[in-house]
Amino acid sequence: MPKMFYGIILESARDGVILFHGENVWKRVVHELRLPSDTFQLFARYDAKLLFDICECMAHVLHEGTAETYLEFFGEDFVRYFVNFGFDKILRVAGRTLRDFLFAIDQLHDSNRFTFPQMDQPLFHVTEESQSGATLIYKSIRHGFARYAIGGLTAAAKTLFQEHIKMDIMHDWSTKEYAHIAFWVEFKNEGFQQRRITHFPTLPDLNGSTFFRVFPFSILMDSTLRIHCMGEKILSIFPEETPLIGRPLDQVFRLIRPDIHVEWDKILSYGRHIVFLMDNRLPLRVGSTGKIRLKGQMKYIQNKNMLWFLCHPVLGSADDMISAGLHLTDLNLFDSTSDLLITGIHQERAIELAIAKQHIFSVKLRESKGKLIEWRKKSERLLYSILPKHIALLLQSGVQPNFVCESHPLVTVLFAYMIDFKALSLQLTPADTIHYLNEIINKFDKIEDNYDVFKVETKADASYMIVAGLSDRLHLNSTKPESSSISSATDDNDEPEEEVAPSKNPLGLHQTEIIAYLALDLLDASAHIMNPITQKPFKVKFGFHSGTAVGGIVGKKNIQYCLFGDTVNMASRITTTGEVDRIHVSHAAYNYLAVDNRFNIEYRGEIEMKGKGSHPAYWLTGVAKRSSLNVINKSATELRCPFTGKSTID
């Protein structure tokens, strides 16, 4: 199983990288390691290997130092991060001097068991000392953190005691199960062998029964580590028929911390400054459902050559007390165990309520986010319906509308004019006029939506303008080139990827061919749009022309994408000079259609156009039978449009 630690370790590393190397370096690390998030939850647990991966990535990204260098850096920076969070008081009360701090490191770790209940804390233990330093034993189930420990202790000495220490590895007894290292910590050990002379008053001797009534959770052992006597509260949790007195300690209890063999010399060595933790091996009395865990300190009674384990039960909740078969009356009144337990019960209930509220909030947040995404997509679809998509993306990226201007080397513009709609509107109420106009435009829009074209405008006289050939561009042809790059409107990792819309031009047709197919479709549809006064189809003229044009957005309010140039004027002239229910084609557009001979086209002759002189013109009558792009109906030889599948035979 991977070795785990809390996210505060990784979050302090992230904070250190950003503070000393910049946010871009951390973003590079997140990208290189493909981290799911660029931050870490302080109280969540992560694989310890992740810290080593970050160290290696830092060395690779910065091209200086090694993974060990950054591991030590992260150890140093953890102290800064810890202090900035306001935890420096916890560190400062550990001792008056650096020597006291080294002896108290293990107790500091143990004091955080409520904040980090699943913490697999390392063991720090001073075995020898002199005026020039001390030997510090480090033991942990996680391998490879020696440099991290060196960095953290060095920073703590400098920050808390203004001491500059030097740490070296004296011995490494590590095995596959755990890291076991002896450090030599070099510093000016002024507290070594300093003893205050204190005169204690003579007190009367206490008998054993009084002693163990005062300390009901305590165990007295002889030099062979056999139980000589036990407090009455510990005795009461075991069955009466279970013999305890005289048995080896290791048969009754299992030593959890420190991780050492239960031997007299080792316990004496560790007992001065290490917190001991043990739980029962033998079953508890009937009515108890689990274990009891005892925590305390080993005291050596020199004149008796005995060890006294002065302890108390570790109880985090009412369930722990029930499991051990204890009650509040069993606990000492002179320590804080009962207060912590009762407070913990209230806090547990408060946390449960907070979690329930957080869950309700999360559900509502997800629902709100779903609605937000849905409305954003609706607004995008609306925007794409009134502007070419590449223009809409430019506006979403922050480009000002008035800076949007582009030149199109070739576009094909189609007009559709309803000759009798203006006269109709004079005979209908405004509401009916809007109704019939909507009916016409909606039918045309439904057909137009199948093609790779853009509807530029619709006028009140039911004139309809469509253009093909608006190319998507990544740069604006404007006076503000720094605003030309396109970026997505929103970057949200939690959103599902939008489905890619199918291509509207899968056959790769030329823009003029697209307009020709569309014009034939619109002509077919117009035969089914009835004039409510005459009860006959509306009279519609169609015409298109190909050429250059300039496009851009006009205005800051009610913005609209407009096309300008002679191509637009020529397309309008070719339409007005055409005939009802026929498609009029300019000579420029005819030249593009004639390349592949996919359509049936008739030459009309020279046509005089207002302000344009005489120009050759043509009629588009249908699709050529020999066109390889048509879809052949299996049951007939009917030719169909490759976009809509409708018949193109007159």
Side-chain angles (χ1 to χ4, degrees), residues 57-70:
C57 189
M58 287 289 293
H60 170 71
V61 169
L62 297 178
H63 302 291
E64 62 179 1
T66 63
E68 293 286 303
T69 304
Y70 294 101

Side-chain angles (χ1 to χ4, degrees), residues 414-483:
L414 167 71
F415 277 99
Y417 288 151
M418 291 207 170
I419 305 302
D420 48 353
F421 188 84
K422 186 174 182 181
L424 174 68
S425 64
L426 298 176
Q427 303 178 52
L428 297 177
T429 64
D432 289 337
T433 302
I434 295 297
H435 169 75
Y436 285 110
L437 181 62
N438 269 327
E439 183 179 348
I440 297 168
I441 299 304
N442 288 340
K443 286 186 178 180
F444 279 10
D445 284 348
K446 187 176 181 180
I447 297 170
E448 170 262 331
D449 193 52
N450 295 316
Y451 292 83
D452 188 17
V453 296
F454 176 69
K455 185 180 75 171
V456 179
E457 64 181 358
T458 302
K459 293 185 178 179
D461 60 357
S463 60
Y464 198 77
M465 177 181 173
I466 294 175
V467 60
L470 297 182
S471 56
D472 291 353
R473 302 177 178 202
L474 295 180
H475 299 283
L476 285 177
N477 194 6
S478 70
T479 58
K480 196 173 182 181
E482 64 269 17
S483 300

Side-chain angles (χ1 to χ4, degrees), residues 47 83 88 114 164 194 217 289 368 540 623 635-636 644 648:
D47 189 341
V83 168
D88 57 316
F114 291 108
H164 294 275
Q194 290 186 0
F217 292 97
T289 59
S368 300
V540 186
V623 177
S635 62
T644 63
T648 56

Side-chain angles (χ1 to χ4, degrees), residues 255 295 392 606:
L255 184 61
K295 174 185 174 183
E606 294 285 333

Side-chain angles (χ1 to χ4, degrees), residues 362-376:
S362 299
V363 171
K364 290 183 178 179
L365 181 62
R366 283 196 297 270
E367 293 175 353
S368 300
K369 188 173 183 181
K371 291 180 180 179
L372 177 63
I373 294 171
E374 180 183 350
W375 280 105
R376 197 194 73 183

